[in-house]
Amino acid sequence: MPTHLANETELVTKARAGDVDAFSTLIRQYDRYIYRLALHITGNQEDAEDVLQEAMLKAYTRIGQFQGDSRFYTWLVRIAVNEALMKLRKRATHAREVSLDEPVDDGGRAPVLREIEDWGDNPEQRYARVELQSILDSVIERLEPMYRAVFVLRDVENFSTEETAEMLNLSVPAVKSRLLRARLQLRERLNKFFGKGKESGLQTGTPQTV
Amino acid sequence: MVCKQVLRRLCDYLDGNLDPRLVEELSRHLGHCEDCNIVVDTTRKTIEVYCKSEPMALPDDVKERLDRALYEKLGWRP
């Protein structure tokens, strides 16, 4: 979560009165967070950049509607999520990719775990910050869009299950089921980087069902 | 509780939303099941590592184009 500006309320008041500099200061604080969110949901840089620009411009035209009943960042995230979902749907229609709305075909089956391996303490400390970020991004990118959006809103942006459901227009049980699968898939893919026995790069886990 | 039931309740457990009676049952299972222990631990770490991660600064070209869009639409100059 980003650090919020101490004078956020004052900047919002100014921005609502049409002060472009105040608005710009506000969005500068959050631009990289919004870009990452857009990148995570859309899964590609071109769309993420469009989402970033459109969300910021839309925020400016709608700042009059912002009542201050949430953080400015939360409000901005909601706008960006909407823009990102529109992009995703547009792409899904063109490329016949799996859309976010498509029901997850899990048939109530329990997820299957293929690799179970201990990570030890603070596995992330084995990597420099830039490297770690690139690992985390690349692993998330490989999730299906419907899992990505749920995971990002719940676990990266820290929204509640109910808020996530509302933003993605999903039911609460659907969010819960996707979140479990997203977390387990990411966990499994991170084994390669964080697993204790993976320093050699060898895959040692044997397939198994729990 | 068996492994499959642990897995189904994993998110509620990690998010602190599990009924105390079930937490007790689950903890009992974790007391003797090494695999579930690892799954719970590594899933918790997965969430933590993402939750703590901070995005890199906006790439220069992306920032430039955002500035340009703000200038063209709002008349704002960096």
Side-chain angles (χ1 to χ4, degrees):
Chain A
M1 288 290 278
T3 318
H4 300 291
L5 293 161
N7 57 343
E8 184 180 285
T9 316
E10 185 194 330
L11 288 169
V12 167
T13 309
K14 283 185 177 167
R16 281 168 59 101
D19 184 334
V20 183
D21 281 335
F23 177 74
S24 167
T25 307
L26 277 171
I27 62 168
R28 288 288 162 220
Q29 182 73 1
Y30 307 120
D31 54 10
R32 62 199 176 114
Y33 292 89
I34 296 296
Y35 181 65
R36 177 178 66 170
L37 172 84
L39 203 51
H40 280 160
I41 296 182
T42 63
N44 82 78
Q45 294 180 355
E46 193 190 328
D47 284 350
E49 190 174 338
D50 283 351
V51 168
L52 173 71
Q53 290 186 10
E54 283 156 21
M56 297 313 197
L57 293 171
K58 219 161 246 183
Y60 186 75
T61 58
R62 288 185 192 165
I63 186 85
Q65 295 165 30
F66 176 59
Q67 300 297 327
D69 43 12
S70 69
R71 302 298 311 217
F72 177 77
Y73 177 67
T74 306
W75 180 75
L76 194 57
V77 164
R78 285 174 181 268
I79 295 177
V81 168
N82 264 327
E83 292 296 320
L85 292 180
M86 278 197 287
K87 280 275 175 211
L88 201 57
R89 293 201 175 101
K90 211 178 269 176
R91 280 229 180 235
T93 321
H94 289 313
R96 293 194 192 173
E97 276 175 20
V98 183
S99 105
L100 189 76
D101 310 314
E102 219 160 288
V104 182
D105 181 26
D106 56 27
R109 277 177 285 120
V112 176
L113 299 176
R114 289 179 195 85
E115 281 184 54
I116 296 173
E117 192 182 337
D118 196 359
W119 289 0
D121 293 331
N122 307 313
E124 72 279 9
Q125 287 178 5
R126 276 182 234 154
Y127 298 93
R129 189 181 159 234
V130 176
E131 200 183 353
L132 177 67
Q133 196 54 54
S134 117
I135 290 170
L136 296 179
D137 287 347
S138 71
V139 165
I140 229 175
E141 254 170 51
R142 289 170 51 211
L143 281 184
E144 289 195 37
M146 60 185 108
Y147 295 140
R148 264 190 335 239
V150 167
F151 180 80
V152 165
L153 291 177
R154 276 292 281 109
D155 287 344
V156 182
E157 299 297 334
N158 267 313
F159 283 103
S160 70
T161 305
E162 288 73 20
E163 287 170 321
T164 303
E166 185 222 313
M167 278 192 258
L168 299 179
N169 202 18
L170 293 169
S171 68
V172 166
V175 168
K176 285 187 167 182
S177 136
R178 287 169 197 208
L179 183 64
L180 173 62
R181 281 170 168 72
R183 284 172 170 177
L184 290 175
Q185 282 185 29
L186 290 172
R187 182 202 74 88
E188 197 157 295
R189 285 172 188 170
L190 287 173
N191 262 340
K192 197 168 102 193
F193 303 97
F194 294 162
K196 264 179 161 176
K198 293 292 161 64
E199 275 95 338
S200 61
L202 292 173
Q203 299 278 321
T204 53
T206 45
Q208 72 185 108
T209 310
V210 175
Chain B
M1 200 178 282
V2 296
C3 298
K4 211 190 258 182
Q5 292 168 314
V6 171
L7 203 54
R8 204 174 298 141
R9 295 180 173 115
L10 184 62
C11 286
D12 281 337
Y13 177 67
L14 291 175
D15 297 338
N17 295 329
L18 196 61
D19 183 272
R21 190 179 48 83
L22 291 171
V23 172
E24 206 183 303
E25 273 186 49
L26 200 145
S27 305
R28 232 185 348 255
H29 177 93
L30 293 182
H32 61 77
C33 181
E34 177 73 2
D35 278 357
C36 281
N37 249 311
I38 292 175
V39 170
V40 167
D41 180 61
T42 52
T43 307
R44 180 182 284 124
K45 283 173 180 156
T46 299
I47 299 165
E48 278 170 6
V49 79
Y50 275 102
C51 181
K52 283 191 295 193
S53 72
E54 287 288 314
M56 309 304 290
L58 222 50
D60 286 345
D61 54 333
V62 174
K63 187 179 180 317
E64 252 170 55
R65 288 189 290 266
L66 175 64
D67 284 347
R68 202 182 313 142
L70 292 175
Y71 173 68
E72 282 167 9
K73 302 275 170 45
L74 313 180
W76 176 79
R77 275 173 204 282

